[in-house]
Amino acid sequence: MTPAIYLAKGREKSLLRRHPWIFSRGIHKVDGEPQLGETVDVFSHDGRWLAKAAYSPKSQIRARVWSFDKEAIDTAFFIRRIEQAQRLRDELIERDGLTGYRLIAAESDGLPGITIDKYQDYLVCQLLSAGAEFNKPALVEALLHCFPNANIYERSDVAVRKKEGLEETVGVLHGEEPPASVVIEENGVKISVDIVGGHKTGFYLDQRDSRAQSMKYVEGKEVLNCFSYTGGFGLYALKGGAKRVINADVSQHALDTAKYNAELNEFDISKKRAVFLNADVFKLLREYRDQGTKFDVVVMDPPKFAESKAQLNGACRGYKDINMLAMQILKPGGTLLTYSCSGLMDQVLFQKVIADAAVDSGRSVKFVERFEQAADHPIDTAYPEGFYLKGFACKVF
Ligand code: SAH
């Protein structure tokens, strides 16, 4: 018999709205002895069947819903979910000529804890939940059914796995070990992705639209691309006719790839038109400010500052600080392109932080455009947490 969990009285409300998380405090009792990640039936306090979920005995999020229908969680289930996710993206892939895209965006695609990015024939999986780990063989089988020629690689080297009682793990799940460089193309820009050695699954696909939008601000301009990673915004700036681009990052490997990417696209980077600077952005911005070095455009796309609610205040201070400095080194009429990928900081709060930065910078700042994660990172209406990436274009006077 399938093990089951019974919710505490009145705790089924979020599930009835199809939010997929069940917190430990919302559980009345557990029937049977579900193993780490095993599928359980979920019932309300009065015995009404609600969902199939993956049990995670070590996590505060004690179970994550696979399905609100009475269906088996097996290879066929994963095939249906993957096919649906692919269908959702077909239009976008066709329209933008994508060879790299997010195939599965976890909860937002009905597969909690499972992120899969596709770079050419390489599928890169990040499995963050006990249920994802438990069902790994079925998932791999389903992926091969949908993409028979795919090589499947796991990049589950993420600390949050600990909360689920899982070790970090990386390696080939099927096919070949990815080469050091898999080249994808987005908006006519070629990008080399290092699946094994890069950050996360190798590339930040979520900023694709914002990178494209950034091009209209850069022609003939001096651009500072902070937290450049493998070039991203800097490559689009070169394509958009920027006079000069400084890419700053603390990862030399990322900067080397950024330079390689500029060459791959045959952008003219002679006469220091593109610079790849190994620097801590926090220090660099202060140096530029103190020296009086000014830019026309500053791109500010830092890593996630807030991993938990407890870190949110500190994160706000961090975002305010770097954005204040960015404003101070912009020429009058210059453009700040600023982003936050911290899901805990919503768009309204981020706007406030930028407003605070404007006050502290002593500059007059206008929001002129808003940005969000690209469409292959959809947001399920039942899971607003899926909206994590937001940004603004600001004119700074
Ligand atoms: N804008 C990029 C993605 C940025 S990811 C794109 O479009 O692809 C964040 C980057 O910040 C990572 O490359 C990381 O190495 C870098 N980073 C983190 N802390 C940093 C710091 N203090 N100074 C400079 N770079 C930093």
Side-chain angles (χ1 to χ4, degrees), residues 186 191 199-200 202-208 210-211 225-234 236 248-252 254-255 277-284 299-305 322 339 341:
E186 55 170 54
I191 293 157
H199 294 172
K200 310 238 170 155
F203 188 56
Y204 294 90
L205 295 160
D206 52 2
Q207 283 285 41
R208 182 190 314 115
S210 295
R211 286 191 284 263
N225 180 21
C226 299
F227 307 99
S228 69
Y229 190 49
T230 54
F233 286 93
Y236 282 69
D249 202 285
V250 283
S251 161
Q252 190 56 46
L255 290 166
L277 194 63
N278 191 328
D280 178 338
V281 164
F282 291 85
K283 284 193 196 138
L284 183 70
V299 179
M300 193 56 71
D301 184 28
K304 195 172 170 184
F305 286 169
I322 49 172
Y339 308 90
C341 62

Side-chain angles (χ1 to χ4, degrees), residues 11-289:
R11 295 311 285 259
E12 67 275 21
K13 288 201 190 78
S14 63
L15 256 70
L16 294 175
R17 289 187 55 85
R18 302 202 155 215
H19 191 281
W21 293 352
I22 299 164
F23 287 93
S24 56
R25 60 180 182 274
I27 295 178
H28 168 59
K29 67 166 180 171
V30 180
D31 261 7
E33 286 181 11
Q35 303 303 301
L36 184 70
E38 195 178 342
T39 305
V40 294
D41 280 310
V42 184
F43 293 93
S44 67
H45 194 260
D46 56 5
R48 192 171 143 206
W49 187 91
L50 296 169
K52 294 249 184 198
Y55 187 64
S56 186
K58 301 215 164 67
S59 172
Q60 288 294 326
I61 305 176
R62 191 55 48 93
R64 293 172 196 247
V65 172
W66 288 126
S67 179
F68 294 97
D69 297 322
K70 282 190 177 160
E71 58 186 329
I73 307 307
D74 55 10
T75 303
F77 164 79
F78 286 104
I79 290 173
R80 289 193 294 278
R81 285 284 197 266
I82 295 163
E83 283 177 346
Q84 191 188 1
Q86 177 64 34
R87 260 200 311 279
L88 173 73
R89 289 153 173 86
D90 277 342
E91 218 173 42
L92 168 75
I93 294 164
E94 173 84 24
R95 189 176 66 219
D96 288 3
L98 301 180
T99 50
Y101 59 93
R102 176 145 298 182
L103 171 66
I104 301 291
E107 273 78 351
S108 303
D109 282 302
L111 293 175
I114 301 178
T115 297
I116 304 176
D117 287 338
K118 188 169 184 293
Y119 306 107
Q120 301 283 7
D121 282 340
Y122 289 87
L123 295 169
V124 188
C125 307
Q126 195 180 64
L127 308 180
L128 299 186
S129 64
E133 182 69 27
F134 184 87
N135 287 286
K136 200 177 340 190
L139 175 67
V140 169
E141 212 178 315
L143 284 168
L144 286 171
H145 173 90
C146 299
F147 303 98
N149 299 323
N151 301 286
I152 309 177
Y153 191 77
E154 180 170 12
R155 277 294 306 268
S156 300
D157 47 337
V158 196
V160 291
R161 273 175 65 102
K162 284 232 168 58
K163 291 190 188 171
E164 295 275 322
L166 306 171
E167 297 295 317
E168 296 185 21
T169 170
V170 294
V172 174
L173 295 177
H174 178 84
E176 292 166 17
E177 170 106 5
S181 165
V182 173
V183 178
I184 60 162
E185 191 160 328
E186 55 170 54
N187 302 306
V189 178
K190 294 190 185 72
I191 293 157
S192 168
V193 180
D194 181 357
I195 291 168
V196 178
H199 294 172
K200 310 238 170 155
T201 69
F203 188 56
Y204 294 90
L205 295 160
D206 52 2
Q207 283 285 41
R208 182 190 314 115
D209 291 356
S210 295
R211 286 191 284 263
Q213 306 279 16
S214 73
M215 274 173 63
K216 59 177 168 286
Y217 297 103
V218 299
E219 195 178 347
K221 305 289 200 239
E222 303 244 3
V223 179
L224 174 63
N225 180 21
C226 299
F227 307 99
S228 69
Y229 190 49
T230 54
F233 286 93
L235 298 170
Y236 282 69
L238 292 170
K239 186 178 159 84
K243 190 158 115 199
R244 191 166 131 88
V245 183
I246 297 180
N247 297 284
D249 202 285
V250 283
S251 161
Q252 190 56 46
H253 180 60
L255 290 166
D256 292 343
T257 309
K259 181 151 189 271
Y260 176 72
N261 278 333
E263 289 160 1
L264 197 63
N265 286 282
E266 297 175 12
F267 293 138
D268 175 13
I269 56 167
S270 63
K271 298 187 194 129
K272 298 212 168 152
R273 182 171 169 237
V275 176
F276 305 91
L277 194 63
N278 191 328
D280 178 338
V281 164
F282 291 85
K283 284 193 196 138
L284 183 70
L285 291 169
R286 285 196 163 72
E287 277 166 27
Y288 283 144
R289 182 189 60 186

Side-chain angles (χ1 to χ4, degrees), residues 239-372:
K239 186 178 159 84
K243 190 158 115 199
R244 191 166 131 88
V245 183
I246 297 180
N247 297 284
D249 202 285
V250 283
S251 161
Q252 190 56 46
H253 180 60
L255 290 166
D256 292 343
T257 309
K259 181 151 189 271
Y260 176 72
N261 278 333
E263 289 160 1
L264 197 63
N265 286 282
E266 297 175 12
F267 293 138
D268 175 13
I269 56 167
S270 63
K271 298 187 194 129
K272 298 212 168 152
R273 182 171 169 237
V275 176
F276 305 91
L277 194 63
N278 191 328
D280 178 338
V281 164
F282 291 85
K283 284 193 196 138
L284 183 70
L285 291 169
R286 285 196 163 72
E287 277 166 27
Y288 283 144
R289 182 189 60 186
D290 297 345
Q291 293 161 7
T293 307
K294 302 272 184 197
F295 294 87
D296 300 298
V297 179
V298 176
V299 179
M300 193 56 71
D301 184 28
K304 195 172 170 184
F305 286 169
E307 298 282 351
S308 66
K309 271 192 188 144
Q311 294 174 354
L312 191 55
N313 274 337
C316 286
R317 283 195 296 276
Y319 284 110
K320 192 181 88 170
D321 185 45
I322 49 172
N323 281 289
M324 175 197 75
L325 292 163
M327 290 166 186
Q328 288 174 331
I329 61 166
L330 276 163
K331 295 176 194 165
T335 308
L336 170 63
L337 300 169
T338 185
Y339 308 90
S340 163
C341 62
S342 300
L344 291 164
M345 169 175 294
D346 63 23
Q347 202 170 25
V348 174
L349 179 57
F350 189 46
Q351 181 168 335
K352 281 191 187 134
V353 168
I354 300 304
D356 287 348
V359 171
D360 289 2
S361 71
R363 306 289 295 269
S364 164
V365 179
K366 319 277 182 200
F367 294 105
V368 293
E369 198 177 356
R370 276 155 207 274
F371 309 109
E372 291 175 6

